[in-house]
Amino acid sequence: MTLIKSISGIRGTIGGPTGDTLNPLDIVKFTTAYAMFIRKNLSTPVKGGAAENDNRKMNIVVGRDGRISGPMVRDVVCGTLVGMGIDVTDIGYASTPTTELAVRMSGADGGIIITASHNPRQWNALKLLNGEGEFLTAADGQAVLDMAAREDFHYAEVDQLGHVTIDNSYDDRHVQAVLDLRLVNAEAIRKAGFRVCVDSINSVGGLILPKLLDKLGVSYCFLNGEVTGDFAHNPEPLEKNLKGIMDEMRTGKYDLGIVVDPDVDRLAFISEDGSMFGEEYTLVSVADYVLSEMRKEKGEKGSDGQPLTTVSNLSSTRALRDVTEKYGGSYSAAAVGEVNVTTKMKEVGAVIGGEGNGGVIYPESHYGRDALVGIALFLTSLAQKGCKVSELRNTFPDYQIAKNRIDLTPETNVDAILVKVKEMFAKDSSAQVNDIDGVKIDFPDSWVHLRKSNTEPIIRVYSEAATMERADELGKQLMKVVYDMQ
């Protein structure tokens, strides 16, 4: 079964039986439930007992990445929303952060992003946004799933049907919003005369990133720049998938390599010598720049008197904690999942946060992972420091993360596995056990995190240590526990 329902959205492979994959009937069901949820939350009781927004026409923004199945899914989603009496703003090919910003910029009531992010080409998904252009909370997502399960649907009569409006302006508006950020120094980037190579994986990055780089005065070459949806390699921006751009970087013609996933919310860099900067260090490097600038401006505390704070998820490198503390700041960890990270960021007033998978969340822009923001801040930092990318990487604490996975079978009892792992380390005085999201065991010089994926039918086993050998050994120890229980 490949239909996965989680806080990261509703995703599955295209084709196959209903209730088991992402197919037209299930797309209609979940889109209808989402529309009902948004309408219910807009209908706020007022003094007279009526609902304040009962008679107001709702508007939902719909954007999609470059997947082959995108047009089919879009047609079903837009048709369903129209059938619910909702107006649709179809922004066409659009990155996830562009769609998030479009909801806010247009004053829409919500948004649906048609993308399976880093999943292979046969997958697609519906990512659901609220009126702030942010992902639904876990509780709200569950409410949508409950409505979908009940199938107590009611559609609009002919005179109340919605309409679809095409608006292709949001790429340019997104780029301008990035240029307007206070810590983005476009003039310094132009003067640096950077030469970059970009792998946009045959998806929407090939449309929006040239617009950003042109505005920043950066010369560029694109690999896999056509939006065909026929991904040239596995779309997850990990070293094992990036031989093409790493080889191109070794020609010596570029200062920086840039890699994004199909919906442009994850970002990885390649150094000028063709070595991986490390997707974990995308957030670390950008946070280092932001924290250093804010400390220059405000000292160790922000304008509201609170310490400079950062957030990442439990599966992210300790290097962010180290960099944050270097500037006198405070670091917090959240459960995996963008909405969990943004919730924690709001709670602690974080100035920057994100995820070690290359996701940068900069609240001055918006509460969503945004590769364009990450690129602009990184290039500004690089321009001001006047160093090579490899030299910048060497200024950060050096940790190595091993990222392993275990494919689930129908018989796998994930809860029992997590309980077993927790019990194994409960009496170890050198270990701190955290079970807010799977089980993470922190040792003085390393950690290992075991959790069920929100986006794939797998268990992720991430481990970090001073060397890759030690990190991989730590992960393999827990993987053996899992295999012994299957």
Side-chain angles (χ1 to χ4, degrees):
M1 183 170 184
T2 58
L3 187 64
I4 300 174
K5 312 162 198 174
S6 74
I7 60 172
S8 296
I10 299 148
R11 70 178 65 198
T13 53
I14 298 297
T18 59
D20 193 63
T21 59
L22 194 69
N23 55 75
L25 286 178
D26 284 315
I27 294 168
V28 169
K29 181 167 71 172
F30 290 117
T31 302
T32 302
Y34 166 74
M36 291 175 58
F37 170 82
I38 294 294
R39 176 173 289 145
K40 178 181 178 182
N41 280 267
L42 287 177
S43 300
T44 308
V46 293
K47 285 185 179 180
E52 185 178 18
N53 298 298
D54 272 354
N55 297 317
R56 181 172 71 79
K57 198 81 164 197
M58 289 170 52
N59 184 274
I60 300 293
V61 172
V62 176
R64 64 184 175 95
D65 72 10
R67 290 170 188 273
I68 295 169
S69 60
M72 180 275 287
V73 180
R74 174 208 57 204
D75 289 348
V76 176
V77 166
C78 290
T80 301
L81 292 173
V82 167
M84 289 291 292
I86 295 171
D87 288 340
V88 176
T89 300
D90 181 0
I91 64 173
Y93 283 133
S95 73
T96 282
T98 304
T99 310
E100 292 169 344
L101 285 170
V103 172
R104 291 177 53 188
M105 290 175 174
S106 67
D109 301 301
I112 297 178
I113 312 165
I114 301 168
T115 175
S117 193
H118 64 276
N119 289 74
R121 65 197 289 276
Q122 69 268 28
W123 289 76
N124 215 326
L126 309 181
K127 291 186 176 182
L128 309 177
L129 305 176
N130 61 23
E132 297 297 319
E134 299 170 15
F135 289 122
L136 301 186
T137 65
D140 290 345
Q142 188 58 53
V144 172
L145 295 179
D146 291 344
M147 289 178 178
R150 289 194 297 269
E151 295 190 34
D152 184 17
F153 302 150
H154 184 82
Y155 295 92
E157 297 181 2
V158 66
D159 293 327
Q160 281 74 49
L161 294 176
H163 300 86
V164 177
T165 300
I166 307 296
D167 189 338
N168 296 314
S169 69
Y170 284 99
D171 272 5
D172 292 330
R173 295 171 72 175
H174 183 181
V175 169
Q176 188 58 51
V178 173
L179 297 175
D180 289 341
L181 292 173
R182 184 173 50 86
L183 293 184
V184 171
N185 189 333
E187 185 57 31
I189 296 171
R190 291 188 193 99
K191 288 181 179 178
F194 291 121
R195 302 161 302 161
V196 304
C197 183
V198 184
D199 184 346
S200 58
I201 195 61
N202 302 120
S203 192
V204 294
L207 297 176
I208 193 168
L209 292 185
K211 295 183 177 184
L212 175 67
L213 297 174
D214 284 340
K215 289 288 186 179
L216 293 173
V218 174
S219 63
Y220 54 83
C221 170
F222 268 72
L223 305 180
N224 310 314
E226 295 184 33
V227 187
T228 64
D230 196 8
F231 304 145
H233 54 77
N234 185 305
E236 191 164 11
L238 302 177
E239 180 172 359
K240 64 183 180 180
N241 302 325
L242 302 178
K243 184 179 185 300
I245 188 170
M246 294 174 74
D247 286 347
E248 181 65 19
M249 290 298 297
R250 293 187 183 105
T251 64
K253 296 187 291 185
Y254 311 98
D255 302 300
L256 173 67
I258 297 173
V259 182
V260 294
D261 66 340
D263 66 328
V264 202
D265 64 352
R266 288 176 61 172
L267 172 65
F269 295 122
I270 314 292
S271 297
E272 78 288 343
D273 59 2
S275 63
M276 286 291 294
F277 190 80
E279 64 166 355
E280 290 287 333
Y281 284 82
T282 298
L283 174 59
V284 173
S285 60
V286 173
D288 179 77
Y289 166 64
V290 169
L291 291 167
S292 66
E293 292 298 306
M294 295 190 73
R295 183 165 180 181
K296 289 176 190 175
E297 295 173 358
K298 303 173 181 178
E300 293 184 10
K301 295 185 178 181
S303 58
D304 57 1
Q306 296 296 315
L308 299 175
T309 55
T310 64
V311 173
S312 64
N313 68 41
L314 288 169
S315 283
S316 300
T317 179
R318 281 183 178 174
L320 179 62
R321 178 202 64 184
D322 296 351
V323 165
T324 304
E325 292 175 351
K326 178 180 74 172
Y327 293 105
S330 172
Y331 165 79
S332 296
V336 175
E338 184 172 327
V339 67
N340 294 322
V341 174
T342 57
T343 298
K344 176 62 74 171
M345 289 178 69
K346 293 174 184 179
E347 177 187 320
V348 302
V351 297
I352 191 166
E355 300 186 283
N357 59 15
V360 174
I361 303 172
Y362 186 45
E364 187 176 317
S365 173
H366 63 120
Y367 278 103
R369 296 182 304 186
D370 192 332
L372 276 74
V373 169
I375 290 168
L377 291 173
F378 184 87
L379 289 175
T380 299
S381 176
L382 199 63
Q384 293 184 356
K385 289 180 171 68
C387 63
K388 294 181 178 180
V389 176
S390 60
E391 294 170 342
L392 177 62
R393 174 64 179 82
N394 289 334
T395 65
F396 302 125
D398 192 21
Y399 296 106
Q400 300 295 322
I401 286 188
K403 298 185 176 183
N404 292 295
R405 57 181 279 171
I406 300 169
D407 292 322
L408 295 177
T409 67
E411 294 76 31
T412 304
N413 187 334
V414 177
D415 291 336
I417 289 169
L418 297 178
V419 169
K420 173 77 171 180
V421 171
K422 184 177 177 180
E423 290 174 349
M424 285 175 59
F425 294 94
K427 296 180 181 179
D428 187 340
S429 60
S430 68
Q432 293 183 342
V433 179
N434 185 322
D435 62 357
I436 67 170
D437 182 13
V439 177
K440 181 176 182 179
I441 301 99
D442 267 297
F443 302 99
D445 60 351
S446 59
W447 58 260
V448 60
H449 188 199
L450 183 80
R451 57 176 292 276
K452 185 177 180 180
S453 172
N454 292 326
T455 59
E456 298 178 76
I458 63 174
I459 293 176
R460 297 193 185 277
V461 184
Y462 286 8
S463 47
E464 182 174 70
T467 67
M468 182 58 74
E469 291 76 17
R470 173 56 185 149
D472 197 48
E473 177 188 3
L474 191 58
K476 294 291 175 56
Q477 288 175 0
L478 283 200
M479 291 173 71
K480 184 178 185 303
V481 174
V482 176
Y483 288 132
D484 288 346
M485 293 185 66
Q486 285 186 312

